[in-house]
Amino acid sequence: MVAGYIVSGKNDGAAAGQLRRRMSSFASVNGEEIGQWMESGSSDHDYVNARTLLDCLQSGDALYVDDVASLGSSFKELVSVLSEAMKRGIRLYGVNDGYTNSEIEDQQTYIQALEHLEKAFSWFVSNKTKAALKNRRNSGFKLGRPDGSCVKMRVLVRNSVFIKEALKNGESITSLCRKYDVSRSTFRKFMLNSGI
């Protein structure tokens, strides 16, 4: 099977039609005709995941895309999809960027390189995040949510006058927790912060 994949969220109807013609002519240069078109929208209900796309294809099938980057929403996902396509024997062609995996002779080395690249990128992002958090902490910034940013805590703060009055009148903490739909620990933090 020879398939074409278009992300329609970034193309209007005329542009999508033009893109189909360009991809079809690109495929005809390779002696192929796109027989199956797949479209992915930008919204969640009509978004086609690249993994789902690969599951529709078998070894020896070809997939033509506008740009190979459209196969992943992140760098890590893109590298993973490229590796998976190579493992399954699916030929990829990027019309705009000129990418193809059909001319790679040492496929095993290419797959290993992609897997190393994926691990290296994960390690890089993880270490960069940890270093940034450590620098913020060392600079005196308090990490995490600011006090009172919790939605349930805000409900208690807004109703603090009523809560103080209810506690004076002998209402139990358990009944107040039920009334405001908060846990006892959140209520306890509220009492400590508000000086009740």
Side-chain angles (χ1 to χ4, degrees):
M1 173 172 40
V2 180
Y5 175 68
I6 295 176
V7 179
S8 59
K10 64 180 184 178
N11 299 303
D12 59 11
Q18 186 179 17
L19 181 58
R20 280 182 187 232
R21 287 189 294 277
R22 198 166 75 241
M23 289 169 73
S24 293
S25 66
F26 189 87
S28 66
V29 169
N30 293 335
E32 297 179 322
E33 183 180 337
I34 298 175
Q36 177 81 32
W37 288 98
M38 298 176 212
E39 272 193 57
S40 179
S42 53
S43 64
D44 287 342
H45 71 278
D46 57 351
Y47 172 75
V48 177
N49 186 313
R51 294 259 177 212
T52 308
L53 191 67
L54 292 180
D55 286 341
C56 298
L57 302 170
Q58 298 174 354
S59 179
D61 289 350
L63 178 63
Y64 287 83
V65 295
D66 175 28
D67 194 336
V68 174
S70 66
L71 292 173
S73 57
S74 67
F75 178 76
K76 185 176 179 180
E77 184 182 358
L78 174 63
V79 170
S80 176
V81 167
L82 293 177
S83 175
E84 189 67 27
M86 183 62 85
K87 286 177 189 173
R88 293 187 186 189
I90 298 167
R91 296 175 289 121
L92 290 177
Y93 296 96
V95 175
N96 282 341
D97 55 19
Y99 173 86
T100 182
N101 65 359
S102 64
E103 298 170 359
I104 296 169
E105 292 178 15
D106 191 355
Q107 294 180 0
Q108 198 57 40
T109 302
Y110 180 75
I111 291 169
Q112 287 174 349
L114 287 173
E115 288 171 352
H116 286 304
L117 188 59
E118 187 179 354
K119 287 177 188 171
F121 183 74
S122 296
W123 177 86
F124 173 74
V125 170
S126 174
N127 282 334
K128 189 175 178 182
T129 304
K130 287 176 187 174
L133 290 172
K134 185 177 179 183
N135 287 340
R136 295 280 290 182
R137 195 178 312 111
N138 292 342
S139 300
F141 286 98
K142 184 180 175 195
L143 300 178
R145 287 186 185 164
D147 291 335
S149 69
C150 177
V151 175
K152 301 223 175 194
M153 186 67 79
R154 277 188 257 151
V155 169
L156 295 175
V157 170
R158 265 189 257 128
N159 294 294
S160 59
V161 174
F162 303 113
I163 292 170
K164 285 178 187 177
E165 195 62 37
L167 287 170
K168 276 184 192 174
N169 294 335
E171 193 168 340
S172 71
I173 290 174
T174 304
S175 68
L176 287 170
C177 287
R178 264 193 234 113
K179 182 178 180 179
Y180 293 104
D181 190 29
V182 296
S183 67
R184 288 182 69 85
S185 63
T186 301
F187 196 86
R188 197 175 304 117
K189 285 178 193 170
F190 162 72
M191 289 177 67
L192 288 170
N193 292 340
S194 60
I196 297 175

